[in-house]
Each structure stands twice: as structure tokens, then as C-alpha cells.
Amino acid sequence: MFSRGAAVLVYQPQWGQVRNMATLKDITRRLKSIKNIQKITKSMKMVAAAKYARAERELKPARVYGVGALALYEKAEIKVPEDKKKHLIIGVSSDRGLCGAIHTSVAKAIKTEISTLSDAGKDVMVVGVGDKLRGLLQRTHNKHFLVTFKEVGRKPPSFGDASVVALELLNSGYEFDEGSVIYNRFRSVISYKTDEKPFYSLDTVSGAESISIYDDIDADVLRNYQEFTLANILFYSLKESTTSEQSARMTAMDNASKNASEIIDKLTLTFNRTRQAVITKELIEIISGAAAL
Amino acid sequence: MVRSYAEAATSPAQMSFTFASPTQVLYNRATVKQVDVLTLSGSFRILAAHVPTLQVLKPGVVTVFAEDGTATRYFVSSGSNINADSSMQLPAEEVATSDMLDLATAKSNVNKALSHLAAAPDETAKVEAQINVEASEALVKALE
């Protein structure tokens, strides 16, 4: 009889997760699938390691080339006049996932840039190199997108790819005054940093005061130089970006393999315990059955 | 007797030269004496104290004179050379040394390019073919 003071409501959820003791078959199935996953992540790590080695090797000359090509911007210290309105952001990433925070860090940087620039009253358009950026940004910033480039990241980038992108931008009809390229700069195998490199339009450069110390410049030369520099910046950022991406993918797949190994160990222990429990249960049944006779 | 050593010349009187293509680096902040380039506004001999200038290269030969006077010739397909405060950058789209180039192939390239020019359907194709012709002819001239 229940006394009043100790009235206890027994509440049995009818639709919650009811977890029974896992049978041997369930555990075996799960173990097999996780072992397969571990094989896959291990091989992805090997592939990423090979691609990373090549990307890093090609990055060395590309870095010297990129730094040399951009030297004019740095030496001349071009400042954009405050009243220039049109800004262009180029986000450099790739199409493929499973590489850690590569795409999200570029997308985050783009988002903060858009909000700062819009607050300052400028028009901002975004160019995405790599499909992942479009996916990350299109729900909230769809009206800022000018053009997206796909099929990035499958093969190592070449100067031809950068030229194609630069040509498309110059022909797009969006007359930007200044812009920036947001990419992941490669620091080491385990670290990269999201970086931003500025570039300027023809009018901004020719209007800058420090350009006047340069001898023998006419509009043609400057325009040529501008277009070439746009391709150079894109080439440099593509090279850095692929190296960072491959190293991040290598790390991510390595972590995934390690996690899978841990789960496999735990599951193997559970499997053995369950197996022993099943054997013990059968023994008890046999013994109690024999005792009953 | 007092001996004294001559001081090595320091940077401002020298030219730090960076010459690279997207795939290879030829000079990285190296000190050279003189560089000859062929640009859209003429042929330049650039020494250390040259005025800052920005140039676009024509397809042709770039000759680099090192410290000790040895000259190395490179064939450059296009690029721009910047010269700011006695450092010179020469980013070039394609670079080849003379041992990578063959005179006979170059001559046949010229003929092929000329025939493309004649057969070009529209403006952009014509311009591309024209660029091809110029580059091939410069290549032949450089090899001869």
C-alpha cells in the first residue's frame, strides 16, 4: 500500500529512446562499418599528403613570384580616397570539403568584411572561387554575389586558371574602385591563417600620388600592369590556398582515423564483454536445466 | 704598415633583382649589375640607380649581367618589370633559356602563326594570332 506522503509517480516514456542490450550481431555490424571508415580516412590522408607535398613544392617559386609582382603596391603605398564606393571581395577556396575549417574561415572573413563595408556605405560585390563559398554564403548574402567559379581544387592551380578568373572579372562589367582577395595563407603543416591582400583599380593607381615618381608611365602601361597584377594576385592566393587546404585535409583525416581507432577499441571491448555474457548465460541455462532434472 | 680591406658595397648602390615566373624562380633578391629588357616603349638597360619605372615587356630576350660580368640570356614571353627604390622585380609569364629552345621549331611556329593570322575569323582571334606571330618571330630572332 502506498502511504500518502510517499506518493510517487512512475512515469514511463512511451516514445523516448529505449536502448536494449546490444546483440552481438549489432556490435559486429557496427565494428565492420567503422573499420571500413577508418580505411577510407587513412587513404584520404595519404592522398592529401601526396597532394600537399606537391603543392608545397610549387608554392616556393609561386611565393617569390607573387611577392615580386605585388612589390609595386607595397612600395608605392597606394591609399584609396575615402569617397570611392565600389568594393570587390574575392574569396579563394575550393569545391571539396572534409578539410577542417578552410571554407568557413574564408566565409567568416567575407561576412565581417561585407558588414564593415556596408556600414561604411560602400557597395560590395563578392566573387567566389570554389563552390563551397557559394554554398556557405548564398542564403544570407545572395545579392552580393557577382560570379562563382567551380571545378577548383581538383587539379593543382596554374597561371592559366588565374588568368581565366582575372579575365572574367575584368569583363564582368562591375567597375570596382578597389578590392581585396581573401585566402588562406599557408604557414606550416599544422597551421594556416586567413589573410587579405588588397588590389586597386586603374583609376585609383593612376590617381595615387606616389605613382608620379615613376618615370615613363602612360595609361596603356598601367592598364597592362593592372590586369597582369590581378592575375598574379589570384595565382598567388590560389597556390597558398591549395597548400593550406591539402594540409588541413591531411590533419582532418588523420584525426578522423584516430577517432575511428578509439571507437574500434571501445567496441571491441564491448564485443568481448557481450560475447562472454552470452556464453555465461548459456552455461547458466544448461546448468539450471541439468539441475532441474 | 697598415693594411685595410675595401668595404663591400652595400645595398643602395646595388640593385636587388627578383626574376621569376609562376613556376620557377631565377633570381631572388640577387645582386646584379645590369639588366637589359625589351619593353613596349623601347629597349632598356637598367642599372642600379635607374629611376623608378614600370614597364610592360615585349616577347624577347632579357640579358642579365651578374656581378662578375657574365651575361645570361633568357627568353621572356611577357611580363612587367617594376623598379622601385633600386630593387627590381621582373615577374614574367614564361621564361626559357636558350638551351630549351630549338631554331627549327621556332621557324615552323612562325609559319603556323602567320597562317592562323590569315585565317582568323574575328577580332579577338585576330589579336591572339597577332600576339602569337610576334612572340614566334621574337623567338626566331633571339635564336639566330
Side-chain angles (χ1 to χ4, degrees):
Chain A
M1 297 300 117
F2 293 108
S3 69
R4 264 170 142 236
V8 165
L9 260 160
V10 179
Y11 175 61
Q12 185 82 314
Q14 300 297 315
W15 57 85
Q17 233 182 4
V18 183
R19 297 177 84 185
N20 297 316
M21 181 65 177
T23 61
L24 273 181
K25 205 155 56 143
D26 293 338
I27 300 182
T28 323
R29 208 182 326 134
R30 219 180 140 198
L31 207 47
K32 200 161 66 137
S33 93
I34 294 187
K35 279 190 179 153
N36 278 335
I37 291 180
Q38 195 201 30
K39 280 201 203 112
I40 293 175
T41 52
K42 258 205 183 131
S43 69
M44 281 187 77
K45 176 188 161 199
M46 298 276 113
V47 169
K51 289 192 175 172
Y52 160 74
R54 179 179 175 175
E56 207 212 346
R57 216 174 34 219
E58 293 182 355
L59 181 63
K60 285 204 195 81
R63 257 196 184 154
V64 174
Y65 180 75
V67 165
L70 297 172
L72 180 69
Y73 280 165
E74 289 161 25
K75 299 266 164 78
E77 286 179 20
I78 301 182
K79 297 274 187 325
V80 186
E82 275 310 308
D83 56 346
K84 293 291 182 172
K85 287 275 169 194
K86 296 197 166 181
H87 204 105
L88 180 70
I89 299 180
I90 306 182
V92 176
S93 187
S94 86
D95 286 355
R96 297 171 151 196
L98 292 178
C99 47
I102 292 278
H103 308 296
T104 48
S105 56
V106 173
K108 204 156 54 152
I110 293 182
K111 279 189 193 158
T112 43
E113 269 295 304
I114 292 182
S115 57
T116 12
L117 288 170
S118 307
D119 290 341
K122 309 217 176 176
D123 295 326
V124 186
M125 288 301 261
V126 174
V127 169
V129 177
D131 218 20
K132 282 280 177 187
L133 283 177
R134 185 181 59 93
L136 283 171
L137 292 173
Q138 84 177 355
R139 209 171 308 145
T140 45
H141 296 93
N142 205 6
K143 58 183 171 61
H144 289 290
F145 259 93
L146 185 59
V147 65
T148 305
F149 294 87
K150 289 169 95 163
E151 297 295 314
V152 177
R154 193 173 299 210
K155 285 188 308 210
S158 68
F159 191 77
D161 303 333
S163 320
V164 164
V165 175
L167 196 60
E168 193 55 44
L169 283 180
L170 293 165
N171 292 342
S172 69
Y174 181 66
E175 299 288 337
F176 58 92
D177 297 312
E178 58 159 339
S180 46
V181 179
I182 299 182
Y183 63 104
N184 289 309
R185 185 168 52 90
F186 175 72
R187 284 207 295 204
S188 81
V189 184
I190 51 171
S191 91
Y192 60 87
K193 189 167 179 297
T194 317
D195 209 5
E196 189 179 330
K197 276 256 189 294
F199 60 90
Y200 309 99
S201 74
L202 182 55
D203 304 321
T204 324
V205 171
S206 43
E209 27 185 88
S210 44
I211 207 78
S212 51
I213 62 168
Y214 285 83
D215 182 41
D216 205 12
I217 295 201
D218 56 14
D220 235 1
V221 165
L222 262 185
R223 193 162 55 88
N224 246 308
Y225 175 71
Q226 281 299 104
E227 300 179 354
F228 192 48
T229 305
L230 187 58
N232 285 340
I233 281 192
L234 284 163
F235 173 71
Y236 170 68
S237 56
L238 271 169
K239 279 291 191 205
E240 294 263 0
S241 181
T242 34
T243 317
S244 312
E245 181 197 333
Q246 297 300 344
S247 76
R249 185 166 294 129
M250 206 168 67
T251 321
M253 290 297 104
D254 188 36
N255 286 339
S257 310
K258 281 204 198 96
N259 290 344
S261 306
E262 269 180 41
I263 299 183
I264 288 175
D265 290 340
K266 267 196 240 149
L267 270 182
T268 314
L269 285 174
T270 334
F271 177 77
N272 285 330
R273 256 185 284 130
T274 316
R275 190 177 50 88
Q276 288 168 351
V278 165
I279 292 174
T280 313
K281 199 170 70 152
E282 289 185 12
L283 273 175
I284 292 179
E285 283 177 7
I286 294 173
I287 291 175
S288 57
L293 285 173
Chain B
M1 183 159 72
V2 176
R3 290 177 176 220
S4 60
Y5 292 99
E7 293 287 344
T10 49
S11 214
Q14 305 277 344
M15 184 162 65
S16 121
F17 181 48
T18 307
F19 180 16
S21 83
T23 45
Q24 60 173 158
V25 175
L26 298 143
Y27 292 87
N28 187 4
R29 298 218 185 93
T31 326
V32 298
K33 224 165 41 153
Q34 175 182 330
V35 181
D36 291 349
V37 291
L38 187 60
T39 73
L40 283 183
S41 20
S43 168
F44 280 75
R45 294 173 176 278
I46 304 196
L47 289 133
H50 203 273
V51 297
T53 177
L54 171 61
Q55 294 295 341
V56 175
L57 298 173
K58 261 174 35 158
V61 174
V62 165
T63 319
V64 179
F65 294 90
E67 279 291 295
D68 49 3
T70 50
T72 1
R73 291 155 52 100
Y74 300 93
F75 187 80
V76 166
S77 84
S78 64
S80 77
N81 94 319
I82 320 159
N83 191 345
D85 66 4
S86 88
S87 71
M88 177 172 164
Q89 287 85 18
L90 184 47
E93 201 166 328
E94 290 278 347
V95 177
T97 46
S98 23
D99 50 348
M100 296 189 211
L101 303 167
D102 172 42
L103 185 55
T105 333
K107 282 206 167 122
S108 70
N109 273 346
V110 174
N111 294 332
K112 262 196 286 193
L114 280 170
S115 62
H116 275 163
L117 179 58
D122 60 15
E123 268 308 309
T124 22
K126 250 204 183 70
V127 172
E128 282 177 18
Q130 183 71 23
I131 296 176
N132 208 341
V133 167
E134 278 177 20
S136 317
E137 284 179 348
L139 196 45
V140 170
K141 207 165 58 152
L143 286 173
E144 279 167 354

